[in-house]
Amino acid sequence: MQVQLETLSGLERRMNIALPLAAIDAQVAERLKRVARSAKIQGFRPGKAPAKIVEMNYGAQVREEVLGEQVQQAFYKAAAEQKLRVAGYPRFEPAEGDAESFKFAAAFEVFPEVKVGELAGKEIEKPTTAVTDTEIDKTVDILRKQRTRFNRVEREAANGDRVIIDFKGAVDGVAFEGGSSENFPFMLGQGQMLPEFEAGIIGMKEGDIKSVEVNFPADYHGKDVAGKTAVFEILVKNVAEAQLPEVNEEFAKQLGIADGDVEKMRAEIRKNVEREVKRRLTAKIKENVMQALIDVTPLDLPKALVDLEVGRLMDQARQDLAQRGMQMKDMPLPADLFTQQAERRVALGLILSEVVAANKLEAKPEQIKALVEEFAESYEQPEDVIQWYYASQERLEGPTSMVLEDNVVEFVLGKANVVEKEVSFETLMGQNA
């Protein structure tokens, strides 16, 4: 086998390979003999057809199979001998041969050399959030609001009430798409509808009918009415005031505290809140560390790996949208939407592999076990969850990857300039949106 390697540009390589035809012909002949033993050819009993007839029927197919195998084997053998780390899949192209050799070219990319930059002077923000009684009180209030009851009232509607209405809207006397509805419920004062629409309903009682003029903003999502004035005829069919449950024994039982002990309920809520706060802080710290690694480690990324990752992200997006009932055949997904995310993932994969290998940060069994046990804590039967994970090595891949990332985070934080920053509970939990 003759091999010639060319560097095209950056990570791109081209390998020209010549294989002796005699060896290929010998393999083709040997495989045709095996085929002949069971070949079913019209006019002959199985395995009794002459060699020439077998070759006429199967020769082209067998030669194609042998060439395909030989090309693959020759390429990867040559790559190993040249100590090349091939990224993605090579693209094979036939080349002009001669009487003694079969020639082909393989175009491919190699993995880049990863040199992690200096972390000592890199500033990494480490968010912190305190969980006090105030945060527990806020969480209790959220849980109360989730269990709000609405009681019908005969008074005028006010902010905080839920109303059920029929409405019909028109611009210059002409109805428009999405401008009407029946038995439409919403809460006043929460910005669910345009301010003028809600203001018009405040003060109305059940059974009242009123026309309300509404000016749509110029940047309104409905282009047909953006910047225009509409008149809505509104019928109020129901006004109900919100009644939050009391924080008492019954409320505690609703949250799973069998004996209704409110202090036990608060302790359980604190435990869950602290777990969620820890999870979110860990995710933010990890994100900051990963960005720091990318910042200090410039890389040329193999296009083949980026394309593969784009494909995976597109498949995930299609599956997610399909599960939501969307018809994907009518909704194309441009690859450009996923390119930036794919590049980040590929870069991090290469960098993390180098950091783990260079600093011996492999996941230890006891670390994996501790993480699995932490996962299991939030379930009623933790032992069942632990057994489920350990029933399959494949199921442990997720926790193992997380431990590896945690090890890298700890390593980087030990090298970098870490700056703690207090983050409010509301901001961390996304309650300011």
Side-chain angles (χ1 to χ4, degrees), residues 2 18 25 36 43 94 120 148 168 226 238 274 285 288 291 306 310 316-317 320 350 356 370 372 375 386 389 417 422:
Q2 297 175 7
D25 291 340
T148 299
K168 295 180 181 178
N238 178 271
E274 287 176 344
I285 294 168
N288 293 345
Q291 187 59 51
V306 173
V310 166
Q316 290 173 7
D320 181 56
L350 296 171
V356 168
V372 169
F375 288 163
I386 294 170
Y389 271 106
N417 177 25
E422 181 69 25

Side-chain angles (χ1 to χ4, degrees), residues 192-204:
Q192 292 175 257
M193 309 294 283
L194 289 172
E196 292 169 321
F197 189 93
E198 291 199 16
I201 295 173
I202 291 175
M204 295 178 70

Side-chain angles (χ1 to χ4, degrees), residues 43-212:
F44 299 92
R45 286 182 296 166
K48 298 299 183 180
K52 286 289 185 184
I53 300 296
V54 172
E55 184 176 0
M56 286 174 57
N57 282 269
Y58 294 97
Q61 177 186 334
V62 167
R63 177 168 286 274
E64 185 177 344
E65 291 173 358
V66 169
L67 282 173
E69 293 170 5
Q70 287 296 302
V71 164
Q72 291 272 349
Q73 291 173 10
F75 170 75
Y76 286 107
K77 181 182 178 182
E81 290 174 350
Q82 300 271 352
K83 296 182 179 179
L84 297 172
R85 295 176 62 219
V86 179
Y89 302 105
R91 184 179 71 254
F92 297 113
E93 301 171 350
E96 187 175 347
D98 52 44
E100 296 182 354
S101 61
F102 171 79
K103 296 180 180 180
F104 69 94
F108 60 99
E109 292 175 288
V110 295
F111 280 90
E113 183 181 0
V114 181
K115 292 184 178 180
V116 179
E118 182 58 55
L119 290 163
K122 185 67 177 175
E123 184 175 293
I124 297 179
E125 191 175 279
K126 183 179 181 180
T128 62
T129 299
V131 178
T132 66
D133 287 343
T134 300
E135 283 68 52
I136 304 307
D137 291 340
K138 290 176 181 177
T139 304
V140 170
D141 285 342
I142 291 171
L143 293 170
R144 291 176 68 202
K145 289 176 182 177
Q146 291 173 350
R147 290 157 178 79
T148 299
R149 293 180 180 177
F150 293 96
N151 299 321
R152 176 178 170 271
V153 293
E154 296 182 0
R155 60 168 171 77
E156 295 176 344
N159 278 335
D161 290 339
R162 185 201 67 189
V163 294
I164 299 176
I165 63 172
D166 291 348
F167 64 88
K168 295 180 181 178
V171 175
D172 297 329
V174 180
F176 58 91
E177 186 177 353
S180 63
S181 183
E182 294 183 354
N183 299 317
F184 182 80
F186 74 97
M187 292 279 289
L188 285 169
Q190 294 192 353
Q192 292 175 257
M193 309 294 283
L194 289 172
E196 292 169 321
F197 189 93
E198 291 199 16
I201 295 173
I202 291 175
M204 295 178 70
K205 294 190 294 186
E206 183 178 309
D208 286 354
I209 299 176
K210 183 178 180 181
S211 291
V212 176

Side-chain angles (χ1 to χ4, degrees), residues 18 27 47 103 112 129 182 210 230 243 268 300 341-342 373 392 400:
Q27 283 204 29
K103 296 180 180 180
T129 299
E182 294 183 354
K210 183 178 180 181
Q243 181 180 0
E268 188 64 26
D300 287 333
Q341 185 182 0
E373 289 174 348
S392 164
T400 301

Side-chain angles (χ1 to χ4, degrees), residues 314-325:
M314 290 177 70
D315 287 342
Q316 290 173 7
R318 287 193 184 97
Q319 291 172 14
D320 181 56
L321 292 170
Q323 288 173 357
R324 300 183 189 201

